[in-house]
Amino acid sequence: MSEKNVVDAFNNGGIIAYPTEAVFGLGCDPDNEDALRRLLKLKQRPSEKGMILLAASYSQLLPYIDESKISQDMRCSMLSRWPDGITQLVPKNNNTSSLLSGRFDTIAVRVTSQPDVVSLCQKINKPIVSTSANLSGQEPAKTWQSLDPALTNKVDFILKGNTLGHTSPSKIIDVLTGKVIRS
């Protein structure tokens, strides 16, 4: 991977296809409203559904979270589930774009150990938006070679790494209630 090119693409509002734990994801800068709109349009995803933030560390997620609503016990439980394969719904802060959170007062977040994503998030010093690399309703790609040409022709950079080999999308847990939303 050319790290300079992927960082440049991210910093310039580009859409990036990249490997996650189980499937390929599409992402962009969570603070770039134009990039978020472009990603939703490319994926044909309704904005009210929201998207995930994928990070190398919990601290990268803090600008998007209202930590005052998470008790110490909840925080300990949340942190014990990471890294990998578990997306958690946490209270969003007031500055978090509704393009990220959708119609919800929570935001979906995950800390990963996928090396390409960890490296990118460390270089940009923030999380990357994550939504599966497929048009809404279609099967997500599990390799960069199987990405839909309708997407690859419109993304700005493809990180040609490998997923971590998980066989199903991430489990989703609501941090405040402990309820499993998707198993």
Side-chain angles (χ1 to χ4, degrees):
M1 130 180 136
S2 170
E3 292 181 1
K4 182 180 181 332
N5 291 344
V6 70
V7 170
D8 287 348
F10 180 91
N11 288 333
N12 291 321
I15 307 296
I16 299 165
Y18 59 90
T20 68
E21 295 84 4
V23 299
F24 253 68
L26 293 175
C28 64
D29 183 342
D31 300 315
N32 184 323
E33 294 276 322
D34 290 336
L36 292 170
R37 279 190 209 83
R38 190 171 152 233
L39 176 57
L40 289 166
K41 183 178 178 184
L42 171 64
K43 190 170 162 67
Q44 299 170 6
R45 181 179 177 87
S47 61
E48 58 271 3
K49 282 187 164 186
M51 295 182 281
I52 297 171
L53 286 181
L54 195 53
S57 65
Y58 178 63
S59 62
Q60 291 181 337
L61 299 168
L62 291 176
Y64 308 91
I65 294 173
D66 183 351
E67 268 207 312
S68 70
K69 295 181 180 171
I70 304 171
S71 73
Q72 187 60 37
D73 286 347
M74 290 174 194
R75 187 176 299 102
C76 287
S77 292
M78 174 178 63
L79 295 174
S80 74
R81 296 181 187 117
W82 284 329
D84 297 333
I86 298 186
T87 297
Q88 301 186 73
L89 302 177
V90 296
K92 71 174 184 174
N93 74 26
N94 292 333
N95 300 324
T96 300
S97 171
S98 62
L99 294 174
L100 289 173
S101 62
R103 66 180 190 275
F104 307 101
D105 58 2
T106 57
I107 186 161
V109 295
R110 186 165 77 244
V111 174
T112 188
S113 67
Q114 200 295 332
D116 296 313
V117 178
V118 169
S119 176
L120 175 60
C121 289
Q122 288 172 337
K123 285 180 179 20
I124 59 177
N125 198 30
K126 63 166 58 174
I128 186 169
V129 173
S130 188
T131 183
S132 57
N134 59 291
L135 298 174
S136 285
Q138 303 296 314
E139 195 66 30
K142 295 190 188 263
T143 65
W144 65 269
Q145 297 96 328
S146 65
L147 287 164
D148 185 330
L151 296 175
T152 57
N153 293 335
K154 295 180 181 171
V155 300
D156 299 288
F157 195 92
I158 299 172
L159 260 173
K160 295 180 178 176
N162 296 313
T163 68
L164 294 183
H166 294 201
T167 55
S168 58
S170 64
K171 177 187 280 192
I172 300 177
I173 298 173
D174 184 315
V175 167
L176 297 183
T177 65
K179 181 180 176 188
V180 176
I181 308 299
R182 177 174 76 192
S183 55

